[in-house]
Amino acid sequence: MATKSITIKLTRAGAIAGPFTITDDFGEVLAENVSKMQLIRGVTYVVNSKVTAITIQSIGECQSKKTFQLSNFSITDFAEARYTQALTGCLWRHLTDIRIYNYFYGNIDPYVIEYPFSYSYQDEILQNVKDYTKAYEYLPIRDGVFDDNVRIETNNKWFNKAILYNGQQSSGILELVPKPMNNLQAYGQYPIYNTDSKTITYTKSDNFYQYNTFWALEKSSQIPLFRASCESMSIDKVVNQENMDYGLRSFKKATLRAKELKVRHILDNSATTHLVSQFILTPAQISYK
């Protein structure tokens, strides 16, 4: 069988395109799980000499495919070809299923809300967090028509993570789980100290979700509490885990104390929980020095 070599170089794609599967016009798979960076640098394959076109299919979050006719180019053309990121990687159709909340391209995307607080002249010590949020889950829609009767307000669904921080202190990642009811032995297992987080319980009382098992976990206030993220929508919003100490502390449980505070709540483990945040309270105690 006569063969020939073809070279592929990617010059334009969306931000979340890839990885890719590459096939020829005979349906022969040339490569699978090819990264976007590999295509940007250029890849070469040996194909049947009768091949006249190839299809590049993105199989990741943004799924799409496009067929290209083979053409000749010079070494200069190859060297001068530069990659530019497309502003829109693919289209998204909204509200195809009202029961799904934060679910895009086959994946759960985090729902994040952050509240800033500013105190008066004196520093204040955070005591607990009380959040008035309505958490809904949707029932099957039998007649295809949505109304308020197909949703229920739950008591054991809420945000699953929290981060409390100020300019020099951070609680690290707090994994939030409902408090075990009528089970003192199970409740006594908390907090649970994980490698990169701490699991604590929350309760719902008088329609307030609340928790209070936190303290400052940073190793040093002179090292950044956050680091830049590869996701453009969350730059500087990823906890710098190298500066966090999630170990068991009998002592040195420093309080979160400052003239300002930020409370970030995250839901990233469910797409069927609809959270409607109303307001949040952060009872604090004035700290005199």
Side-chain angles (χ1 to χ4, degrees), residues 2 11 18 30 34 43 65 80 121 134 151 172 188 195 222 239 241 259 270:
T11 58
L30 305 181
V34 181
V43 293
K65 65 179 179 179
E80 293 179 348
Y121 179 77
K134 294 183 177 181
R151 70 179 185 181
T195 303
Q222 303 306 298
V239 172
Q241 296 286 28
K259 291 181 173 62
S270 172

Side-chain angles (χ1 to χ4, degrees), residues 22-254:
I22 303 173
T23 57
D24 60 26
D25 50 0
F26 291 100
E28 186 73 22
V29 178
L30 305 181
E32 295 179 307
N33 292 317
V34 181
S35 69
K36 183 162 65 174
M37 185 55 65
Q38 287 177 295
L39 285 183
I40 292 174
R41 293 171 178 170
V43 293
T44 300
Y45 302 107
V46 177
V47 300
N48 190 308
S49 60
K50 296 182 180 180
V51 169
T52 60
I54 60 164
T55 298
I56 301 177
Q57 180 177 5
S58 175
I59 58 175
E61 293 184 22
C62 182
Q63 298 186 8
S64 62
K65 65 179 179 179
K66 189 172 183 179
T67 300
F68 300 87
Q69 296 296 318
L70 299 183
S71 60
N72 295 322
F73 61 87
S74 66
I75 296 178
T76 303
D77 294 334
F78 181 85
E80 293 179 348
R82 294 290 184 267
Y83 174 78
T84 57
Q85 182 170 296
L87 296 180
T88 302
C90 52
L91 299 177
W92 176 255
R93 184 177 179 182
H94 292 272
L95 299 178
T96 55
D97 189 344
I98 194 64
R99 295 171 299 171
I100 303 299
Y101 187 53
N102 50 323
Y103 191 78
F104 303 96
Y105 307 111
N107 293 280
I108 296 175
D109 278 350
Y111 168 57
V112 182
I113 187 168
E114 184 169 287
Y115 300 91
F117 293 89
S118 180
Y119 301 125
S120 301
Y121 179 77
Q122 297 286 347
D123 282 7
E124 297 197 18
I125 299 174
L126 180 64
Q127 302 292 302
N128 58 70
V129 175
K130 301 178 69 174
D131 179 32
Y132 178 36
T133 291
K134 294 183 177 181
Y136 296 104
E137 286 202 330
Y138 294 93
L139 304 174
I141 303 175
R142 304 186 185 281
D143 56 3
V145 179
F146 171 79
D147 60 61
D148 288 340
N149 295 322
V150 298
R151 70 179 185 181
I152 57 173
E153 188 172 348
T154 69
N155 293 321
N156 60 351
K157 299 289 185 179
W158 191 49
F159 294 96
N160 65 298
K161 291 178 182 176
I163 303 171
L164 316 176
Y165 68 99
N166 53 45
Q168 292 187 307
Q169 296 177 301
S170 173
S171 68
I173 296 178
L174 302 174
E175 303 271 359
L176 304 175
V177 297
K179 177 183 176 180
M181 302 304 295
N182 305 317
N183 191 334
L184 187 60
Q185 182 178 4
Y187 177 62
Q189 297 176 358
Y190 295 94
I192 298 175
Y193 301 93
N194 310 308
T195 303
D196 55 2
S197 67
K198 184 176 68 173
T199 304
I200 65 174
T201 63
Y202 67 82
T203 59
K204 184 180 181 183
S205 178
D206 293 334
N207 289 306
F208 279 104
Y209 292 92
Q210 51 189 323
Y211 58 93
N212 60 6
T213 312
F214 47 76
W215 51 83
L217 292 178
E218 77 286 343
K219 297 176 183 177
S220 172
S221 63
Q222 303 306 298
I223 298 176
L225 302 177
F226 295 92
R227 61 177 178 81
S229 167
C230 59
E231 298 292 336
S232 60
M233 293 299 291
S234 59
I235 294 176
D236 296 328
K237 291 298 183 184
V238 176
V239 172
N240 183 8
Q241 296 286 28
E242 294 181 356
N243 192 29
M244 298 295 129
D245 178 10
Y246 294 102
L248 177 63
R249 296 184 180 186
S250 298
F251 304 99
K252 293 184 64 177
K253 293 180 180 178

